[in-house]
């Protein structure tokens, strides 16, 4: 009986980790290869967001001050969104997802900065990046980065 339940529930759990919702309307992919393929298909750039969702205070504030705004909702329509989380609480993501995120961080976030917004083209080449957030509500530099590459 336990095996039957696992067989039924496992596909739903795996699918749930394929996408992440942050902000009020956006769905973020969590797989680099899928994000690049989608960007190529849709002729868009990729916005990669590196975060420590459960421990990084600036990341939590950036969600409220930036990702939850109508300005971001509008601009983000021009991007494929990729969410890369390295949480302290390892139960928040699967071991496989954590491995994927760490490998991607070692390639695209060599300084291990969070929060970090990185713009990639559909070939995976970095076009621009902005690291940090001072938690005072000022998101002009974040918005300018997105507008520059939309």
């Amino acid at each position: 009986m336990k095996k039957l339940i696992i067989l039924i529930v496992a596909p739903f759990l795996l699918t749930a980790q394929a996408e992440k919702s942050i902000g009020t309307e956006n769905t973020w992919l969590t797989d680099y290869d899928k994000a690049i393929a989608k960007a190529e298909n849709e002729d868009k750039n990729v916005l990669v967001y590196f975060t420590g969702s459960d421990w990084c205070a600036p990341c939590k504030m950036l969600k409220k001050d930036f990702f939850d705004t109508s300005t971001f909702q509008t601009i983000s329509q021009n991007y494929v969104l990729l969410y890369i989380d390295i949480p302290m609480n390892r139960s928040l993501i699967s071991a496989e997802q954590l491995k994927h995120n760490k490998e991607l961080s070692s390639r695209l976030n060599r300084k291990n900065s969070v929060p970090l917004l990185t713009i990639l083209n559909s070939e995976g080449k970095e076009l621009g990046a902005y690291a940090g957030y001072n938690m005072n509500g000022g998101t002009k530099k974040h918005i300018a980065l997105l507008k520059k590459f939309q």
Side-chain angles (χ1 to χ4, degrees):
M1 183 66 171
K2 287 182 183 177
K3 289 181 182 179
L4 179 60
I5 291 172
I6 290 172
L7 287 173
I8 293 170
V9 174
F12 295 106
L13 294 174
L14 293 173
T15 303
Q17 291 182 2
E19 296 180 344
K20 176 77 175 171
S21 181
I22 67 169
T24 54
E25 297 177 15
N26 293 319
T27 300
W28 294 69
L29 298 175
T30 57
D31 182 278
Y32 173 82
D33 292 331
K34 288 180 182 178
I36 292 295
K38 185 175 181 181
E40 188 173 17
N41 241 10
E42 297 179 7
D43 194 29
K44 293 181 178 179
N45 290 328
V46 179
L47 169 60
V48 186
Y49 175 45
F50 292 92
T51 184
S53 65
D54 65 338
W55 58 268
C56 171
C59 298
K60 292 176 183 182
M61 289 300 297
L62 189 62
K63 179 186 180 310
K64 177 181 158 274
D65 295 342
F66 182 61
F67 293 118
D68 286 345
T69 66
S70 60
T71 300
F72 177 76
Q73 302 305 320
T74 301
I75 296 171
S76 68
Q77 299 302 311
N78 299 310
Y79 287 93
V80 172
L81 306 174
L82 178 60
Y83 183 82
I84 304 300
D85 188 16
I86 310 285
M88 291 270 188
N89 180 351
R90 300 302 190 218
S91 68
L92 293 176
I93 61 176
S94 70
E96 181 180 311
Q97 185 68 51
L98 182 61
K99 180 181 177 192
H100 170 270
N101 292 358
K102 285 184 173 184
E103 288 172 357
L104 193 59
S105 288
S106 70
R107 279 193 358 235
L108 299 176
N109 186 4
R110 291 185 189 101
K111 293 182 181 179
N112 294 316
S113 299
V114 291
L116 172 65
L117 302 179
T118 301
I119 309 296
L120 306 176
N121 67 14
S122 61
E123 296 171 356
K125 180 184 176 202
E126 183 177 320
L127 303 175
Y130 184 75
Y133 182 59
N134 62 12
M135 300 183 359
N136 68 358
T139 58
K140 289 180 186 176
K141 292 181 181 179
H142 299 82
I143 294 168
L145 174 73
L146 295 183
K147 285 186 175 183
K148 182 176 181 179
F149 297 105
Q150 63 182 351

